[in-house]
Amino acid sequence: MMTPDPNARYIHGDQVHQDCIPKENMVFATEEEGYAFYMQYARAAGFGSKKHKNKAMSRVYACSRQGSSEFYKEAEKRKRGKMSKRIGCMASVKLKLRGKEWFYERVELEHNHTLNPDPCEVKHMRSHKNKHPVMMDYVDGLQHSGVSPNATVNVLTELHGDYGHMLMNARDLENRRAANLRKEQVDDVKKLVTFFNECRAQNPKFYSDIDYDSEGVVKNIFWSHASCQANYAEFKDVVTFDTTYRSNFYRMPLGMFVGSNHHLQNVIFGFALVGDETEETFEWVFRTFQRCMEGKDPICILTDQDQAMANAIRRVFLETIHRLCRWHMLNKHTVELNKLYYLHKGLEEKLLTAVNHPLTPLEFENAWKEMVTEHGLQNDPTLRGLYEHRASWIAAYFKGIFCGTMTSTQRSESTNRMDPPDTKTNYHLEHQLGRIYTRAVFKKYQDAYFAATSFRTKKVDTCNFLVYYGREGPTFSWSQHEFKVVCNEEEEKYTCECRGWEHTGLLCPHLIIVLINEQIQKIPSQYVLRRYSRNAHIDLPYDRNDTVQTGPDGSSLSCRNSDLLSEAFATVQAGRRSTVAYKRAMTVLKELRKQLEEIPADEMPVRGEPATHDEDGHLGTVLKAPPKSKTKGSRTEAGAEQIIGARGPKLCTRLCGNCGLFEGHNAATCTRRQQTFAVGGSSAGRGRGRGRGRGRGRGRGRNEKGKGVMRARRRLLDDVEEEDEDEDEQEKDYEAASETSCESDDSD
């Protein structure tokens, strides 16, 4: 590489328009205009700028490479192998106040370093990164909405027209995201209480409660919006509660009370952040939820297999039936079951079939017996434990309990539209249900109608029927062949032995085939639950909207935002077509913005108390952040040694790329690795986590010539000797250089 000539001088190129070059005695109305003009010139010329001096009557703006710094320090004091960019550049302008005007008193345009006018290079300079508040708010909105970093870069590139003109890069976006996260973590308990008060001001039905100890340390938090309570008033029959989600800073499990609405979608009734998973904590959560819902308990609640949770439910929800989640029951024994699946081919399919398909307890027991007998697992402790608790998690044992379509806390969501139903037949009953049911529920009915065509009916007497499989026969050998169905049109009584309607509130295939054969034209209203109808929502004495959505004139805030965005994008597209249009658009927009900022904002109507409302009595207590939670799901206990890597005994099947041995470690954790703290040109400055030697992707224990472990060991010894010699030479150079270098400032 050629050494730069220290006596050479560089100036802007022809790409800078003459009107954009600073000149002495140029006059500006304000200091900001003078600084903005110099920044515009620096961006076009291709160098970074900074505010060098700030005095009462003058300002000095200089090149970012102005001055010098003392960079070389002792090895133990250095943190990063980074060279200083300050080389004594004298390019600068002096802006001075004269009366009410500012003017350039001195202008120096020559630099002692090359300039980089390429937009792809300029955007990496700190002074030219686009930190406009509006653009930063837009970036924050994208990141808050969960848009991936790559997608965010693509959106900003589209807005700027080209990636080279986007005055920020992917690393800037990552830093912005990290800075926002750090900002959120500062005094987050106070921010949470403020947020709760603002929600209560928007809607007084908002409910929150915070449990804390005598020192004010937060233990548990519960909150529920007005919309959540409205959903519970309509769909409170079945509730699931799960605390497996744990991704917050304090590792506090997030418990959610979830139900299913008339579109078979998940709806949330309440949230809880718990400090631990003890019986006392769960009792506080359930009693708080009970108070929030005005003492109305659910019919059935589904949870995981947690004894502390079960005891708390038994004490709080006295009339509620507690059942276990199928997913959690199987997931709890994942390790043991995976071993069985590996040893016994086909066991997994048979187990899931036995868990999900049986309609009666007899069917389940026959299916289970067939499975364990075929694979010889009658005495397996895992399967025996699952079978002993079958009455609490197998749906066939609580068919008489209404659970809707929820038998697991891992229920998937479904999406629906409010289009008219697409009926498949001219049968009057189908048209009746199509007008009443939502689209998702009506699709369930059509699936059951299709399944009903596999059955035949046999009339026993006037109101009793036997439903049996037709030509195809039962799917499984343990399936029940006949089901007793009662169809009494006069008394409007319709029941099936499988108890499908009692369990889900939907007609089963056995009952549907009887209704069709008996030409029942209309189903009684008591067999069409309102929770599945299009009119499931009920009139409530409070507003179910969590926030005020309209202004004083009745217009929607989202509608205003949408209209303004449409006009703004259209203005940008029209203004970028020509220079005249661009200048006209900028002039009009700046003037319009100045006028709009002078107009006071509308005072949004407040339906509740002011933000200082202290319903929970927290204003008199200084709440403190909770410690990091150590719950039952935590892998390490308090004070336990941190385990790095896989748990259990090391199999030592991987080859270390550093020492070439099979000892259960890799190059990053190798104890034989040389710890070199070099400055400048050593391995410390070759990228994070990248030492000298081989790069990535060259195989296990192989070098570029395909040799084996012995060559890797010999090269390792040679590298160590070379590094020792390099360190001796570098220390001498650093001692000589440190005598003439200057101290580096914070901007470097």
Side-chain angles (χ1 to χ4, degrees):
M1 180 182 294
M2 182 180 295
T3 303
D5 184 2
N7 298 320
R9 293 295 179 263
Y10 306 89
I11 199 169
H12 57 265
D14 297 336
Q15 80 280 358
V16 182
H17 196 273
Q18 290 296 323
D19 295 339
C20 298
I21 301 176
K23 303 177 181 63
E24 293 184 358
N25 297 319
M26 290 186 69
V27 180
F28 303 93
T30 62
E31 170 195 353
E32 290 75 14
E33 291 184 4
Y35 178 66
F37 185 87
Y38 188 69
M39 287 289 293
Q40 181 182 1
Y41 164 74
R43 185 183 299 110
F47 67 92
S49 62
K50 65 177 182 179
K51 295 181 178 180
H52 181 47
K53 294 181 180 180
N54 188 355
K55 297 183 178 180
M57 302 294 291
S58 64
R59 308 286 188 268
V60 176
Y61 307 130
C63 174
S64 60
R65 308 192 71 172
Q66 173 270 341
S68 58
S69 63
E70 179 184 350
F71 176 71
Y72 297 110
K73 302 177 182 178
E74 298 179 6
E76 61 272 10
K77 295 182 180 180
R78 294 201 57 251
K79 295 183 179 180
R80 300 180 62 183
K82 179 181 176 183
M83 300 298 291
S84 174
K85 65 180 181 179
R86 301 176 65 179
I87 56 175
C89 181
M90 300 303 295
S92 64
V93 296
K94 182 177 181 181
L95 186 67
K96 193 169 183 179
L97 179 63
R98 182 174 56 193
K100 295 183 178 181
E101 297 178 337
W102 294 80
F103 71 101
Y104 283 151
E105 183 183 46
R106 183 185 71 248
V107 176
E108 178 59 50
L109 301 180
E110 290 186 348
H111 300 258
N112 64 349
H113 57 88
T114 58
L115 305 181
N116 299 302
D118 186 357
C120 295
E121 298 291 338
V122 171
K123 70 178 182 180
H124 294 290
M125 300 178 184
R126 179 178 301 179
S127 58
H128 298 313
K129 294 183 184 296
N130 190 352
K131 297 297 181 64
H132 194 280
V134 176
M135 183 59 66
M136 291 296 99
D137 290 343
Y138 184 71
V139 171
D140 294 343
L142 292 175
Q143 295 178 345
H144 183 72
S145 301
V147 180
S148 65
N150 288 338
T152 302
V153 172
N154 294 338
V155 171
L156 296 178
T157 301
E158 184 69 20
L159 291 178
H160 287 83
D162 181 51
Y163 182 77
H165 293 87
M166 189 179 71
L167 300 180
M168 62 181 68
N169 51 33
R171 176 52 62 90
D172 296 329
L173 299 178
E174 294 176 5
N175 294 340
R176 179 75 180 184
R177 188 185 189 93
N180 290 337
L181 291 176
R182 290 193 298 268
K183 187 185 300 183
E184 290 178 0
Q185 294 175 2
V186 176
D187 205 5
D188 50 357
V189 176
K190 183 178 179 180
K191 294 177 182 177
L192 179 65
V193 175
T194 303
F195 169 74
F196 285 168
N197 290 333
E198 292 175 354
C199 291
R200 189 174 294 112
Q202 292 285 327
N203 194 324
K205 190 62 178 175
F206 175 82
Y207 186 93
S208 65
D209 195 3
I210 300 179
D211 181 28
Y212 52 90
D213 58 17
S214 58
E215 298 180 356
V217 178
V218 174
K219 297 167 57 179
N220 309 297
I221 305 171
F222 175 86
W223 71 97
S224 176
H225 297 273
S227 59
C228 299
Q229 300 171 51
N231 289 329
Y232 183 79
E234 297 163 348
F235 311 107
K236 62 178 177 295
D237 36 26
V238 185
V239 175
T240 67
F241 182 73
D242 186 19
T243 58
T244 58
Y245 189 78
R246 187 185 299 106
S247 66
N248 55 81
F249 176 76
Y250 301 103
R251 294 200 290 267
M252 298 177 67
L254 174 64
M256 293 190 296
F257 295 88
V258 182
S260 174
N261 65 4
H262 56 315
H263 295 292
L264 305 184
Q265 297 171 326
N266 284 351
V267 287
I268 301 177
F269 302 144
F271 306 85
L273 283 170
V274 296
D276 52 47
E277 293 178 310
T278 61
E279 189 173 324
E280 178 185 0
T281 297
F282 285 130
E283 184 175 354
W284 180 89
V285 171
F286 294 145
R287 291 197 183 280
T288 306
F289 177 79
Q290 193 178 53
R291 287 195 303 270
C292 174
M293 303 306 173
E294 300 176 352
K296 299 176 182 178
D297 297 344
I299 298 176
C300 180
I301 185 170
L302 298 170
T303 67
D304 59 359
Q305 193 179 13
D306 191 311
Q307 190 59 42
M309 192 182 300
N311 295 338
I313 291 175
R314 195 177 301 113
R315 284 202 297 267
V316 178
F317 301 125
L318 303 180
E319 303 296 331
T320 300
I321 300 172
H322 179 212
R323 289 295 179 264
L324 301 180
C325 164
R326 288 184 301 183
W327 182 86
H328 278 99
M329 288 296 296
L330 297 177
N331 186 68
K332 180 180 179 181
H333 304 283
T334 300
V335 177
E336 295 81 1
L337 290 176
N338 285 339
K339 294 179 181 178
L340 294 177
Y341 296 156
Y342 178 78
L343 297 175
H344 303 274
K345 302 300 181 183
L347 175 63
E348 181 177 8
E349 181 180 358
K350 287 184 172 60
L351 176 60
L352 296 179
T353 300
V355 169
N356 296 320
H357 285 276
L359 300 176
T360 64
L362 181 61
E363 283 190 350
F364 170 77
E365 292 175 2
N366 291 337
W368 192 273
K369 182 179 179 181
E370 178 181 306
M371 178 189 66
V372 296
T373 302
E374 178 182 351
H375 296 281
L377 298 173
Q378 295 89 337
N379 297 324
D380 183 78
T382 302
L383 296 180
R384 189 167 60 248
L386 292 174
Y387 183 77
E388 290 175 355
H389 294 88
R390 62 190 182 279
S392 60
W393 68 283
I394 297 298
Y397 285 89
F398 46 93
K399 281 287 187 177
I401 303 172
F402 179 80
C403 293
T405 58
M406 305 184 68
T407 56
S408 170
T409 59
Q410 297 293 320
R411 206 182 64 84
S412 61
E413 298 185 11
S414 58
T415 57
N416 310 276
R417 296 179 300 172
M418 294 300 294
D419 300 333
D422 182 17
T423 55
K424 303 297 184 182
T425 68
N426 290 325
Y427 187 36
H428 186 271
L429 177 61
E430 184 178 8
H431 285 269
Q432 176 199 3
L433 297 179
R435 290 192 303 268
I436 298 175
Y437 282 155
T438 61
R439 189 176 186 86
V441 178
F442 185 68
K443 180 64 169 58
K444 287 281 188 181
Y445 165 78
Q446 289 183 322
D447 294 341
Y449 182 91
F450 178 80
T453 58
S454 300
F455 293 93
R456 302 292 182 267
T457 62
K458 181 189 300 183
K459 194 169 186 178
V460 179
D461 53 35
T462 306
C463 300
N464 296 304
F465 300 82
L466 283 179
V467 178
Y468 59 94
Y469 284 98
R471 181 180 58 184
E472 297 180 0
T475 307
F476 309 105
S477 60
W478 41 262
S479 296
Q480 186 171 330
H481 291 264
E482 295 181 341
F483 295 89
K484 298 177 182 179
V485 175
V486 176
C487 180
N488 191 333
E489 187 176 5
E490 294 182 358
E491 298 180 3
E492 295 185 344
K493 180 181 179 181
Y494 305 94
T495 60
C496 178
E497 186 180 6
C498 75
R499 310 196 73 178
W501 185 87
E502 290 81 356
H503 185 62
T504 64
L506 300 173
L507 298 178
C508 65
H510 319 115
L511 195 53
I512 290 176
I513 191 63
V514 173
L515 294 175
I516 294 174
N517 291 345
E518 292 301 307
Q519 298 183 5
I520 304 299
Q521 299 296 314
K522 185 178 181 180
I523 193 73
S525 59
Q526 63 265 28
Y527 290 96
V528 182
L529 301 184
R530 179 172 181 171
R531 75 174 330 275
Y532 292 138
S533 70
R534 296 171 181 263
N535 300 321
H537 290 308
I538 61 178
D539 294 332
L540 299 170
Y542 54 86
D543 188 354
R544 64 191 306 147
N545 295 316
D546 297 328
T547 58
V548 179
Q549 301 292 335
T550 58
D553 58 349
S555 61
S556 171
L557 297 182
S558 59
C559 182
R560 295 182 191 174
N561 190 70
S562 177
D563 293 343
L564 289 173
L565 278 178
S566 300
E567 290 296 330
F569 280 119
T571 303
V572 171
Q573 293 177 354
R576 67 183 182 182
R577 294 185 300 176
S578 65
T579 304
V580 176
Y582 167 75
K583 293 182 178 180
R584 175 62 177 166
M586 290 298 295
T587 303
V588 174
L589 288 176
K590 289 180 179 179
E591 182 63 26
L592 177 61
R593 179 184 175 185
K594 182 178 180 181
Q595 296 176 6
L596 294 179
E597 289 177 347
E598 296 176 354
I599 302 176
D602 291 339
E603 293 185 3
M604 299 303 296
V606 178
R607 295 174 294 189
E609 299 292 335
T612 57
H613 180 59
D614 186 26
E615 179 180 299
D616 304 321
H618 303 316
L619 293 183
T621 305
V622 179
L623 298 180
K624 303 177 183 178
K628 289 190 176 181
S629 177
K630 290 291 183 181
T631 58
K632 297 178 181 178
S634 301
R635 290 178 175 263
T636 57
E637 300 296 335
E641 182 181 357
Q642 183 71 22
I643 301 176
I644 301 177
R647 285 162 174 77
K650 303 294 183 182
L651 301 180
C652 300
T653 58
R654 294 186 178 183
L655 178 69
C656 174
N658 186 51
C659 65
L661 299 178
F662 292 92
E663 293 187 354
H665 63 267
N666 54 27
T669 58
C670 183
T671 57
R672 298 171 179 82
R673 191 164 124 192
Q674 295 294 322
Q675 302 296 332
T676 325
F677 300 97
V679 182
S682 73
S683 59
R686 296 181 181 177
R688 297 182 179 178
R690 302 289 298 276
R692 63 188 303 170
R694 296 169 299 165
R696 297 180 180 175
R698 294 186 180 175
R700 306 172 98 192
R702 297 280 177 179
N703 59 12
E704 61 273 13
K705 295 183 179 180
K707 301 300 181 181
V709 177
M710 295 303 297
R711 179 178 291 275
R713 292 179 180 174
R714 289 196 298 269
R715 189 183 63 217
L716 179 65
L717 296 176
D718 295 339
D719 289 346
V720 172
E721 294 176 358
E722 291 175 3
E723 289 179 355
D724 293 338
E725 295 175 359
D726 292 343
E727 289 177 6
D728 295 336
E729 294 177 1
Q730 290 171 357
E731 289 178 359
K732 296 178 181 178
D733 295 339
Y734 300 154
E735 292 175 359
S738 61
E739 297 177 359
T740 58
S741 60
C742 301
E743 184 177 358
S744 174
D745 62 3
D746 295 336
S747 63
D748 296 327

